[in-house]
Amino acid sequence: MFFGRDKSTHEVSVQDLESALAENFNKKLSGLDSKASRILESIERSKAELGKACKAFRSLNNDPDTDFIRASSITYISDQKEAYANLLERILSSHGRVDGDGTYDFYYSRMQDTEVLLSEILKANTTFKMVLDAYPNHLGAFKKAFSLLESGWRMLKAEVESRNGEVREFTLLQGHIRSLAALADEQASINSEIKGLEGGIPRNVDAHAEIKSLEDKVMELKDARKALDHRSSEFNAEIGVILGIIDKPARKHDYLSMYKPKLIHILASPGQLAQPHVYDQFYEQVAEMKTEIGNKVISVKNEIEVNGAIDQILSGKIKELIYRMAEAQSNRIPLENEIRDLERMVGELKGMVNGEAEKESTLASLRKRAGEIVKEREELKSKISLLFSEYYHKRITIA
């Protein structure tokens, strides 16, 4: 335990800050476990009922109803019934029960797994639609179990997403903590470089060859960074295509919804969608626009294409693309850090080659950066301590 129940100030090392954050985050969300665990149990029962329904359906001996379907033979439909039951059982077995530690991450992962399970079952139903049409009076157990499973997933999703505020707090603090750790690493690296330059330690390698090797490595890293930037651009372009399709109906929707935030303003600056409250407004209005199109309140020429784009948005496609863009940018940071470190090393080596004047210039730059890091670290420590107090009512000092 990092903290007791007392209100005294506790000292925490930089290395232990993330563990302390995780501990307090899970404490703050302790109420999630009692509610979400019961929901998860109901989900597991629904999965078990689906499994029973599969077995009962496989053993069903009734002839299929072929009055309203096209089929080559009753035997063929019976074989398809067997294949359908087998597929559902394989799907269910691949989403077996997982015991967890009751943390937010555990319930978030179970929510996602259940969503995937529902999607795979629906795909199986589409693939074997002929089977479902042939046994319309023997699907009650399936429908009931699937409905309960879907209801459980929605309840778990609502329970998990009700903690979005706490998650945003956690993410903000985690970002500050990782920045502090990165500054500590950079400071240690700079101090080592300063010591080496000041000591004038003789080098036993060919400086020119080492510079070439480091510059080659920098080029490789820059290519990797460029690839990440290209991925981000592709995701951004995909977002632009989806949003472009709904531009015209969005203008009509805005005209009807005079006193609501304008969809067209969001479409003009899609970067706003990274903000949760803007995304929620956007999602809600797109859902309204779909209803308006369905009810013919809004008319569109390319209704199939527009509805396709809307369905992508409502299924979370935009949110997924925004997450992938953020992930690509996050993966870019370590590349930037390594490129900066290697370029600094190249600068140091070139300074040695070009003489004492260059070396002194490099030293001055490093010392300046070292001073900046000290200030940045102290500012971050104060910010982290303040947020710990604000979010978790814990007073800490950072060693």
Side-chain angles (χ1 to χ4, degrees), residues 258-278:
M258 296 181 64
Y259 301 104
K260 294 184 178 180
K262 300 301 183 184
L263 257 182
I264 199 66
H265 293 166
I266 299 175
L267 300 186
S269 303
Q272 302 174 74
L273 291 172
Q275 303 174 49
H277 73 281
V278 175

Side-chain angles (χ1 to χ4, degrees), residues 205-372:
V205 296
D206 183 341
H208 291 285
E210 189 166 354
I211 288 171
K212 177 65 168 59
S213 175
L214 290 173
E215 288 179 336
D216 289 345
K217 178 62 176 177
V218 168
M219 289 301 298
E220 291 176 8
L221 293 173
K222 286 184 175 180
D223 287 341
R225 182 180 64 185
K226 184 177 180 181
L228 285 175
D229 290 341
H230 181 67
R231 286 180 61 195
S232 293
S233 297
E234 287 180 334
F235 295 144
N236 191 50
E238 192 170 353
I239 290 173
V241 170
I242 295 172
L243 298 184
I245 293 173
I246 67 168
D247 182 81
K248 287 185 178 179
R251 295 176 186 274
K252 296 179 180 179
H253 169 77
D254 284 350
Y255 178 78
L256 294 173
S257 309
M258 296 181 64
Y259 301 104
K260 294 184 178 180
K262 300 301 183 184
L263 257 182
I264 199 66
H265 293 166
I266 299 175
L267 300 186
S269 303
Q272 302 174 74
L273 291 172
Q275 303 174 49
H277 73 281
V278 175
Y279 180 85
D280 290 343
Q281 292 175 352
F282 168 73
Y283 186 97
E284 180 181 347
Q285 293 203 60
V286 170
E288 290 180 6
M289 184 169 67
K290 180 178 177 66
T291 301
E292 291 165 352
I293 293 173
N295 294 335
K296 306 302 180 182
V297 176
I298 292 177
S299 62
V300 291
K301 293 182 179 179
N302 54 338
E303 185 171 341
I304 294 177
E305 184 181 15
V306 169
N307 279 328
I310 289 175
D311 288 340
Q312 282 187 295
I313 294 169
L314 297 181
S315 68
K317 182 66 173 180
I318 294 291
K319 180 178 282 188
E320 178 188 357
L321 291 170
I322 291 172
Y323 172 81
R324 289 185 178 180
M325 286 177 64
E327 185 179 39
Q329 289 303 310
S330 176
N331 292 335
R332 196 179 190 274
I333 293 173
L335 291 178
E336 288 283 3
N337 291 339
E338 190 172 358
I339 289 170
R340 184 173 62 246
D341 289 341
L342 290 177
E343 288 179 337
R344 186 183 297 119
M345 292 173 66
V346 169
E348 174 193 338
L349 286 171
K350 288 183 176 179
M352 294 179 68
V353 170
N354 295 331
E356 288 300 316
E358 287 292 331
K359 186 173 78 169
E360 286 301 322
S361 174
T362 302
L363 272 171
S365 176
L366 290 172
R367 288 168 181 149
K368 178 183 178 182
R369 178 58 187 154
E372 292 171 349

Side-chain angles (χ1 to χ4, degrees), residues 74-301:
I74 290 177
T75 301
Y76 174 76
I77 296 177
S78 298
D79 290 342
Q80 288 294 293
K81 176 173 74 74
E82 180 79 12
Y84 173 65
N86 287 337
L87 175 58
L88 283 187
E89 288 190 338
R90 285 199 301 272
I91 291 172
L92 287 169
S93 65
S94 68
H95 294 270
R97 183 186 184 97
V98 176
D99 293 324
D101 53 8
T103 62
Y104 174 85
D105 287 343
F106 169 70
Y107 289 114
Y108 185 84
S109 67
R110 300 319 300 155
M111 176 196 76
Q112 288 185 312
D113 182 74
T114 307
E115 184 176 5
V116 172
L117 170 59
L118 289 167
S119 175
E120 290 176 353
I121 292 173
L122 290 174
K123 287 180 182 177
N125 289 349
T126 301
T127 302
F128 289 92
K129 187 176 184 300
M130 179 188 295
V131 174
L132 303 183
D133 290 341
Y135 293 92
N137 299 320
H138 301 86
L139 302 174
F142 280 115
K143 292 178 180 178
K144 181 179 179 182
F146 182 85
S147 177
L148 290 173
L149 178 63
E150 186 176 36
S151 176
W153 168 72
R154 292 187 187 282
M155 291 171 65
L156 183 60
K157 186 172 186 288
E159 194 61 38
V160 169
E161 291 184 348
S162 70
R163 269 66 176 185
N164 282 349
E166 289 89 341
V167 173
R168 284 192 290 271
E169 293 173 355
F170 173 86
T171 303
L172 177 62
L173 245 176
Q174 185 183 59
H176 290 328
I177 290 170
R178 290 181 176 177
S179 294
L180 182 62
L183 285 174
D185 291 341
E186 185 181 357
Q187 187 175 41
S189 175
I190 286 177
N191 289 343
S192 176
E193 291 180 52
I194 290 174
K195 184 177 179 181
L197 285 172
E198 290 176 337
I201 300 173
R203 301 180 65 85
N204 297 319
V205 296
D206 183 341
H208 291 285
E210 189 166 354
I211 288 171
K212 177 65 168 59
S213 175
L214 290 173
E215 288 179 336
D216 289 345
K217 178 62 176 177
V218 168
M219 289 301 298
E220 291 176 8
L221 293 173
K222 286 184 175 180
D223 287 341
R225 182 180 64 185
K226 184 177 180 181
L228 285 175
D229 290 341
H230 181 67
R231 286 180 61 195
S232 293
S233 297
E234 287 180 334
F235 295 144
N236 191 50
E238 192 170 353
I239 290 173
V241 170
I242 295 172
L243 298 184
I245 293 173
I246 67 168
D247 182 81
K248 287 185 178 179
R251 295 176 186 274
K252 296 179 180 179
H253 169 77
D254 284 350
Y255 178 78
L256 294 173
S257 309
M258 296 181 64
Y259 301 104
K260 294 184 178 180
K262 300 301 183 184
L263 257 182
I264 199 66
H265 293 166
I266 299 175
L267 300 186
S269 303
Q272 302 174 74
L273 291 172
Q275 303 174 49
H277 73 281
V278 175
Y279 180 85
D280 290 343
Q281 292 175 352
F282 168 73
Y283 186 97
E284 180 181 347
Q285 293 203 60
V286 170
E288 290 180 6
M289 184 169 67
K290 180 178 177 66
T291 301
E292 291 165 352
I293 293 173
N295 294 335
K296 306 302 180 182
V297 176
I298 292 177
S299 62
V300 291
K301 293 182 179 179

